[in-house]
Amino acid sequence: VGVLGDTVERIAWHKAGVARPGAPLVTGASGAALAVVEREAQALGAPVIRVPSGAGAVSHNRALAAEAARQFTTGHGIALDDGQVARGLDRVRLAGRSEVMHGDGPRVVLDGAHNPDKLRVAIDAALSGAGAGPKVAVVGILRSKSGLDVAAPFAGRFDRVIATEPRVYGKPACPARETATLFAGKGCRAEAIPDPLEAVSAAVARAGTDGTVLVTGSFYLIGEVRERWYAKEAVVALQTSFPHLEGKHSAK
């Protein structure tokens, strides 16, 4: 809210800043947001390519990415068929978005979702592959998100929620105890562990070997806890968000 605005129109205006003169602008916006996007694009002479909402957020995002790929390749005289697009999408990996971490122990999923709608999608994706063991969520949000009903999507879906605090310069976190209180108010069994890495360690221990852990609430939080699996030095040195795959790629 403090960055993009507190209305759909204001947020859409900021997002429309990616438009470039004459370049196709692919959007999944609708309603008031679409009107703003179309107005800004028209001012730059950028044709708007609208992708209607699909059956779900994941399907809609795939459709947007596919259309963007088609627009880009067509503009550069490259022929791209639907099979190539589908195979490319199937190989996409995005750090911190429904990312299942490697290693022993419970299944750990990282997702930077930070509003109620995104959290519902993240929870559905994380729990779709959950085993029979305990389900534990680690949630850390910024102070600017504390007014949103971020706790509601978790109610009745997790055995425990561990509240923590993302640490980022210039953007204060909601204190872990306050976040825990938000969840307790929705009937969740909640506790506060301010240090993110300690919170993840506690969640892994509580989930056990056949449980599931979802870490979510902020991409800043995800960036910090990925240190448990990937040292920042390795990410920088190998220039990849997935250092454990670098050797496999090099061997091919």
Side-chain angles (χ1 to χ4, degrees), residues 14-212:
H14 276 282
K15 297 291 187 180
V18 300
R20 293 294 179 269
L25 176 63
V26 179
T27 181
S30 61
L34 178 61
V36 173
V37 170
E38 289 179 330
R39 183 189 70 217
E40 296 300 314
Q42 184 178 16
L44 292 173
V48 174
I49 312 299
R50 182 170 178 260
V51 177
S53 298
V58 175
S59 296
H60 192 208
N61 287 340
R62 282 180 65 94
L64 283 166
E67 186 58 38
R70 293 189 188 97
Q71 292 294 327
F72 178 81
T73 53
T74 298
H76 288 77
I78 302 171
L80 193 66
D81 62 42
D82 290 344
Q84 290 171 314
V85 173
R87 288 191 294 274
L89 288 171
D90 288 341
R91 295 177 62 183
V92 169
R93 297 188 310 275
L94 178 61
R97 180 64 79 196
S98 292
E99 182 183 8
V100 180
M101 309 312 291
H102 64 91
D104 298 328
R107 180 172 178 269
V108 180
V109 182
L110 308 186
D111 197 298
H114 52 267
N115 64 49
D117 289 337
K118 288 184 172 64
L119 286 166
R120 289 185 184 92
V121 174
I123 291 168
D124 286 344
L127 297 186
S128 66
K135 299 170 182 61
V136 183
V138 177
V139 185
I141 60 175
L142 297 180
R143 169 63 78 184
S144 60
K145 303 292 182 180
S146 60
L148 301 178
D149 195 1
V150 295
F154 294 82
R157 308 200 68 184
F158 288 86
D159 299 291
R160 181 187 295 265
V161 174
I162 300 176
T164 191
E165 299 173 10
R167 294 181 290 199
V168 55
Y169 179 76
K171 294 186 177 183
C174 181
R177 290 191 179 278
E178 287 188 25
T179 303
T181 299
L182 291 175
F183 281 90
K186 293 296 181 180
C188 300
R189 186 181 181 188
E191 63 180 296
I193 301 179
D195 182 87
L197 287 172
E198 289 181 10
V200 172
S201 293
V204 167
R206 287 159 174 67
T209 56
D210 60 344
T212 298

